[in-house]
Every structure is written in C-alpha cells, then in structure tokens.
Amino acid sequence: MNKVKVTVFADPVCTWCWGSVPVTRALAYAYGENVEISYVMGGMIEDITTFSNRRLSIGGDIELSNRNIHQHWLEASAVHGMPVCESGFHLFTPERPSTIPQNYAYLAAEIYTRENPNTLPINSHLRFLRRLQEATAADAAHTNDVNVLCGIAATMGFDPHRFRTLYGSDEVREAYAKCKSLCKRYDVQTFPTFCLEYRGEEMVLRGYSTLNIVRHSIDHLTFENIKPIADGRMHLTHENVMRFISRYGTAYPIEIATAFGLKRKEGHTALNAESYEKLPDVLEQLISAGRIAMAPKGNGFMYYTIKGKETAWQRRDRHMAGVL
C-alpha cells in the first residue's frame, strides 16, 4: 500500500464527527491520492430512552435530551467551528428515538455509489454524508425520518426509490453489522476515532483530533514517506482558496482555515472568518470579484461558488446545502 488509509469511526449525528470534517477535507486537499478516506458507522444511539451520558445529562427523557444535546452542540461548535442550528433542534421523538437510521442511510449511499460508477463521482457517498451531517447539525432536520433521508438522497441525484429499497435491505443491515464488528475489534468507545493504516501497520487516534495531530501521526507511521503534495496548494492565496471552495462547492471558515494552517486569534470562536489572520481579506476580495458568495448557515456562515460559474456537481452541492 503506497498510500495512507484513513478510516473514521463515526456517527452522522455526533457533533465531534461533524467537527472533524475540516480535518478530513484538509487531508484530502493536501495529500490528494496519497490518502484514502473511508467511514465506519458506529451507531451512537440505538434508543435515546435507554442511552445514558451522565456528564451531559443526555438519555432517558426525550425532551430533556433534545435540549441538552442542542446546548452541547452550541458549546462544541465554538470549539470545532462547524455551524449548528441556533434553534429548532428536535431530533428525537417517541417515534424516532435512534441515530441508526442515519447510519443505515450512509451505508445505503455507499452501496448506491458503487452501483452507479458511470453516473456518479466515486466519492458521492462522502458528499452524501457531509450533507446528512449538515442537515442534522445546521438545519435541525429530522434526519432519522426515512422520508427526509430519501429527500437528501434525491438532491444528491440518487434515485429515491432505489435508495429507499437499499435503506431497508438486508445488504445494508449486513454492512452495519460489519461496522459494529469493526468497532468491537478496535475497541471504539468514542466518536470520532481515526485508524491510520500504512503497509500493514496501524495507528489508532481516539476522540476528536486536530489536523496537526493526524499529520504528525501520518509522519510517524510512514517514516515521513507520505507527505502533502508539494505544489504550493497550501499557501493562502486567492487562487488556492478558490481552488479549495470550488473542489466542494461550499465551505465554512474553519474548513478553509484548517486546510491552509491558519491559527485562530486569541479569544475568538472558531466559527467566524474574522477569527483568522488574512482570511477575511481573501474572502472579501473573492466576493467582490464575483467568484464566490456567502450566506448564513446555523450559527455560522457558508461560502459557496456563484450560480452559473460552477460545475454541475458544485451546483448540486450548493443546492444540497440550501443555497439556491
């Protein structure tokens, strides 16, 4: 294996998994084909009424759990920098007490992507996962409702009927059982957990990890044989920032800051572009030039490619994120 395989054990509803998206995006941007990123679904909450997190007072009472989860998300968002909804969070109900539906949905998207190699990009399941996380965290969508999940799949260009069939299939249940078996094998107790593999050797990073931690771990694991691509892409320039946003269609300040190694100003939250030196000027000039635009998203702001000036997949990503 001449690349590093990065396996992320996660649950789409976990706020620290959502907060780790800037790390995985930065890895993909900096290392290119030298890294391969995949996800294992961990099934964080099978039933909120029997779940128990005493430290955060989450579990048991559904309404209290919804309130405390939202409060935890707001506090976590100031640290990890990915936006969350300011109000309206009401994910769990007696009819929808679990996060397993979101896990099944990702696995259905993974299978659907494999089934359609000629009509979908190979990473469509990862785009689906990001939108699923975003819809849950920033839009307060009821993503444990199969109808909502099929709606997200449709915005991805998936056939919603085939997606619904996959979602309810034995194939997805078997894939989920394999995920749970891997969680047990690696003794995964917290999400996210990163497993790095290179030439048969593995290194496990448990819990939320910064990009620096993951990069140092890659250096150590590979004896510095695997390095970021040396083409200047990590320099903070207008063209590089445009290149990064264009790669995905949408991006948040923390994602850009992470990719370009920008340090946060002391006393500032991770959510705002103003928290990072030079970033506001670069973004404002790209906006003034008509190359990108910005819009509020949850308790933060999203930057996105301009309508009519992007590829079909960038337009789809922008639409998925709710920017028309």
Side-chain angles (χ1 to χ4, degrees), residues 161-191:
H161 300 293
R162 176 55 182 160
F163 179 85
R164 187 184 289 266
T165 298
L166 283 171
Y167 173 87
S169 69
D170 289 341
E171 189 175 4
V172 160
R173 301 305 183 275
E174 290 168 4
Y176 180 69
K178 290 179 181 178
C179 286
K180 295 298 286 186
S181 178
L182 282 171
C183 288
K184 184 176 181 180
R185 173 185 168 188
Y186 286 95
D187 192 27
V188 174
Q189 302 291 330
T190 58
F191 301 118

Side-chain angles (χ1 to χ4, degrees), residues 251-270:
Y252 296 108
I254 184 62
E255 294 180 299
I256 302 169
T258 301
F260 294 100
L262 306 181
K263 292 184 178 180
R264 195 192 322 168
K265 297 177 184 176
E266 187 175 350
H268 285 248
T269 132

Side-chain angles (χ1 to χ4, degrees), residues 30-198:
Y31 288 83
E33 294 184 357
N34 292 329
V35 299
E36 176 186 327
I37 298 172
S38 63
Y39 282 81
V40 170
M41 294 292 101
M44 184 170 63
I45 299 177
E46 292 190 6
D47 187 329
I48 191 65
T49 63
T50 58
F51 180 80
S52 178
N53 183 322
R54 293 184 179 181
R55 183 176 65 87
L56 298 175
S57 297
I58 295 171
D61 184 273
I62 293 177
E63 292 307 314
L64 180 61
S65 294
N66 279 329
R67 289 196 299 271
N68 288 341
I69 289 169
H70 185 228
Q71 181 60 38
H72 173 56
W73 281 10
L74 289 170
E75 294 168 356
S77 179
V79 177
H80 63 55
M82 293 296 275
V84 301
C85 54
E86 294 186 285
S87 61
F89 177 83
H90 199 262
L91 181 64
F92 296 107
T93 67
E95 298 75 28
R96 304 189 311 273
S98 176
T99 67
I100 305 303
Q102 292 93 332
N103 288 248
Y104 287 171
Y106 169 75
L107 295 170
E110 194 173 45
I111 295 168
Y112 189 100
T113 301
R114 287 201 304 268
E115 288 182 346
N116 296 273
N118 298 323
T119 57
L120 294 173
I122 59 173
N123 63 350
S124 290
H125 57 296
L126 299 181
R127 292 175 181 268
F128 175 89
L129 177 60
R130 176 193 170 78
R131 179 53 195 146
L132 175 58
Q133 291 174 295
E134 186 174 59
T136 305
D139 298 333
H142 296 158
T143 55
N144 45 9
D145 183 327
V146 65
N147 295 314
V148 173
L149 293 168
C150 288
I152 295 172
T155 64
M156 279 293 303
F158 296 0
D159 178 279
H161 300 293
R162 176 55 182 160
F163 179 85
R164 187 184 289 266
T165 298
L166 283 171
Y167 173 87
S169 69
D170 289 341
E171 189 175 4
V172 160
R173 301 305 183 275
E174 290 168 4
Y176 180 69
K178 290 179 181 178
C179 286
K180 295 298 286 186
S181 178
L182 282 171
C183 288
K184 184 176 181 180
R185 173 185 168 188
Y186 286 95
D187 192 27
V188 174
Q189 302 291 330
T190 58
F191 301 118
T193 287
F194 286 75
C195 179
L196 312 179
E197 180 184 352
Y198 179 72

